Amino acid sequence: MNPESHDIPCTHGFHFLIRDSKLNLITTMRSQSAVFVMPIDIFLGTLLQEIFSNELNLEMGNYYHFSSSFHIYENEFKISETILTKKSTINFEMEKLPPNIKFSHFNKLILIEKLIREDYFEGKIRLENLYN
């Protein structure tokens, strides 16, 4: 982590609990944007829960998400108002991961993310070549 960065990790932790043969997850956050960051964090948490459920041959249980400070930044006011006033009947559910997808399948993805973060590709990354 860059000591001069103002980006402080917001995730306190992931607490996985097996109850009634199901894997439950409690995520705790220090702070987060309710508009732009929370949906990404919930997706990440439930993806990890699903991967570990597959790894342990357990059903997914409940997901709980806690944050000590939810906030909306000034540049998020307009989208927030749109979200709150728009009437929507869209229901969206992600497809389940195939049960044979295990954590080991993500090793290549983790390596690619690390290389991108460290600018190994010097800004010249071509996504279509990553999985060849």
Side-chain angles (χ1 to χ4, degrees), residues 99-116:
N100 63 332
I101 298 292
K102 307 289 185 190
F103 195 72
S104 60
H105 289 92
F106 291 84
N107 288 338
K108 187 172 186 179
L109 180 62
I110 291 166
L111 173 63
I112 291 167
E113 186 278 333
K114 179 181 185 292
L115 293 173
I116 291 169

Side-chain angles (χ1 to χ4, degrees), residues 15-53:
H15 189 171
F16 292 90
L17 300 161
I18 299 172
R19 298 291 184 264
D20 299 321
S21 299
K22 294 180 181 180
L23 185 66
N24 298 293
L25 175 56
I26 301 169
T27 300
T28 55
M29 308 295 291
R30 174 188 62 80
S31 179
Q32 72 185 162
S33 159
V35 178
F36 291 127
V37 179
M38 184 181 64
I40 295 167
D41 287 338
I42 290 173
F43 171 78
L44 172 64
T46 56
L47 177 64
L48 289 172
Q49 181 184 17
E50 191 168 10
I51 293 167
F52 291 140
S53 293

Side-chain angles (χ1 to χ4, degrees), residues 3-106:
E4 296 180 20
S5 173
H6 295 286
D7 290 331
I8 300 168
C10 295
T11 305
H12 279 175
F14 298 107
H15 189 171
F16 292 90
L17 300 161
I18 299 172
R19 298 291 184 264
D20 299 321
S21 299
K22 294 180 181 180
L23 185 66
N24 298 293
L25 175 56
I26 301 169
T27 300
T28 55
M29 308 295 291
R30 174 188 62 80
S31 179
Q32 72 185 162
S33 159
V35 178
F36 291 127
V37 179
M38 184 181 64
I40 295 167
D41 287 338
I42 290 173
F43 171 78
L44 172 64
T46 56
L47 177 64
L48 289 172
Q49 181 184 17
E50 191 168 10
I51 293 167
F52 291 140
S53 293
N54 283 352
E55 197 75 39
L56 298 168
N57 295 315
L58 295 169
E59 287 184 50
M60 278 183 64
N62 294 317
Y63 176 81
Y64 304 95
H65 192 90
F66 298 96
S67 180
S68 296
S69 173
F70 278 117
H71 48 266
I72 298 172
Y73 290 107
E74 196 170 326
N75 67 337
E76 300 169 333
F77 286 172
K78 186 175 180 180
I79 187 87
S80 299
E81 188 172 325
T82 301
I83 290 168
L84 293 171
T85 59
K86 184 178 179 182
K87 295 190 184 335
S88 175
T89 58
I90 297 172
N91 289 322
F92 179 78
E93 186 174 321
M94 296 288 293
E95 290 183 29
K96 283 187 169 185
L97 286 176
N100 63 332
I101 298 292
K102 307 289 185 190
F103 195 72
S104 60
H105 289 92
F106 291 84

